[in-house]
Amino acid sequence: MDDSSDDEQFGLYNLQTLHVNTPLIHSPKLSVKLDWGIGNFCYKAVESRGTDIHLVCGSSMNTALAVAYCARQLNVNAIIVMPKETPSSICDAVRLEGAQLILFGENWTVAESHARKLVKRNGVYVPSADHEHIWEGYSSIIYELKAQLGENNPPAAIVCPVGGGGLLNGVIMGLQEIGWKEVPVIAVETHGSNAFQASVVAGKLVKLPKIATIASGLASNSISSKSLELSLVHPVVPFAVSDAMAADSVRLFAGKKFIDKTRYMYIYIHANYLLFFFIIFRG
């Protein structure tokens, strides 16, 4: 007898309402994808504890926006803590989702510390990267690639932006799970927030003394310990670029001036990052 099913199908349907599958297209046009990692974490929290909870987040700009959106979609309350100097457009976006916004502190470290203090009995703190449900959500990107590229047609490489490491962990785990274990991942950071590169070079976790980058989605002074662990079992190349290079890449793509000289075939932009997620085509 199959016990699965109605509940599982219902659960899958509800989770997928948070996201849109991104088609891979043979062109330099950008495709935008909602945050599978944070969405999966929020969905799992509601699935296990019901809607009588509130999500609390002060982890990063990207995470905060994703949590506000997911909370509205899942019909739960959310408390978002951001630094006092957060741009008004970001604050408006959070409020538009119906979340309670608190502006506190001069930077994300202080904001996150305050946010964690607000977690009460029915509260769930949403981290930006360091949780298995986040990695599980991001790993689904690789399953989408497999479905569209074909099992026997893996990409030559994947270029992945790195902040706290959640996306990187999910990408590597997905590659391992589907058997694309030889596909290298180029882990790109900006100078001033290259905690992963510093950790790989040192052979241990490194916490940067300060963050200095305009790439707000990558602004993290530390990396998930899982990222360092996975770098030992999968081909990963840490690579840091300047803020100017990151900004130029955005201008090139937004202005549709990208010239395909290196055979970048499939393009994915992760929300609010100033770097892109590429799948490099073989051939």
Side-chain angles (χ1 to χ4, degrees), residues 5-279:
S5 260
D6 290 339
D7 288 345
E8 288 183 3
Q9 290 296 326
F10 178 72
L12 179 62
Y13 171 78
N14 281 341
L15 176 58
Q16 290 184 338
T17 61
L18 296 176
H19 313 99
V20 178
N21 285 348
T22 304
L24 303 179
I25 53 177
H26 293 239
S27 83
K29 294 180 181 179
L30 299 179
S31 59
V32 180
K33 183 178 183 64
L34 297 176
D35 199 320
W36 269 103
I38 301 304
N40 191 57
F41 181 97
C42 295
Y43 176 77
K44 294 280 190 182
V46 172
E47 185 180 47
S48 64
R49 297 180 56 174
T51 56
D52 189 25
I53 62 171
H54 60 264
L55 303 173
V56 182
C57 182
S59 302
S60 71
M61 189 179 298
N62 287 340
T63 307
L65 289 168
V67 170
Y69 167 80
C70 290
R72 179 173 62 83
Q73 292 293 99
L74 294 169
N75 196 31
V76 298
N77 295 320
I79 300 174
I80 306 298
V81 183
M82 291 180 159
K84 293 179 181 178
E85 299 303 315
T86 300
S88 59
S89 60
I90 302 298
C91 295
D92 291 343
V94 169
R95 294 189 182 102
L96 188 63
E97 296 292 353
Q100 178 186 349
L101 176 63
I102 299 173
L103 298 177
F104 187 91
E106 304 305 316
N107 54 53
W108 281 103
T109 300
V110 177
E112 179 174 21
S113 177
H114 183 68
R116 288 184 180 276
K117 293 176 183 177
L118 300 178
V119 179
K120 305 301 181 183
R121 188 177 64 176
N122 65 335
V124 176
Y125 188 79
V126 185
S128 62
D130 211 1
H131 195 282
E132 61 182 347
H133 290 163
I134 294 175
W135 312 332
E136 177 187 73
Y138 283 132
S139 71
S140 66
I141 296 169
I142 303 303
Y143 285 86
E144 288 186 27
L145 297 182
K146 177 183 175 183
Q148 296 185 54
L149 293 177
E151 183 174 359
N152 299 317
N153 185 34
I158 289 178
V159 183
C160 178
V162 181
L167 177 61
L168 176 65
N169 294 350
V171 166
I172 295 174
M173 291 170 68
L175 290 170
Q176 291 280 316
E177 288 166 5
I178 69 169
W180 287 357
K181 297 180 180 181
E182 304 304 317
V183 175
V185 177
I186 304 171
V188 186
E189 301 168 286
T190 52
H191 294 300
S193 64
N194 55 327
F196 178 65
Q197 184 185 53
S199 297
V200 170
V201 171
K204 62 180 181 180
L205 290 177
V206 172
K207 186 172 184 178
L208 302 178
K210 64 177 182 178
I211 300 172
T213 180
I214 63 171
S216 59
L218 305 178
S220 177
N221 65 354
S222 61
I223 194 75
S224 163
S225 61
K226 186 69 172 179
S227 301
L228 190 58
E229 175 189 328
L230 289 170
S231 72
L232 300 176
V233 299
H234 192 91
V236 181
V237 181
F239 190 78
V241 301
S242 68
D243 276 350
M245 291 173 68
D248 282 345
S249 72
V250 173
R251 283 193 289 268
L252 285 170
F253 280 100
K256 300 180 182 179
K257 297 176 182 177
F258 179 73
I259 301 173
D260 185 9
K261 293 181 179 178
T262 51
R263 303 204 69 172
Y264 290 139
M265 191 72 167
Y266 301 103
I267 301 168
Y268 163 92
I269 177 172
H270 186 63
N272 296 322
Y273 279 154
L274 285 182
L275 290 169
F276 299 89
F277 178 101
F278 293 101
I279 299 90

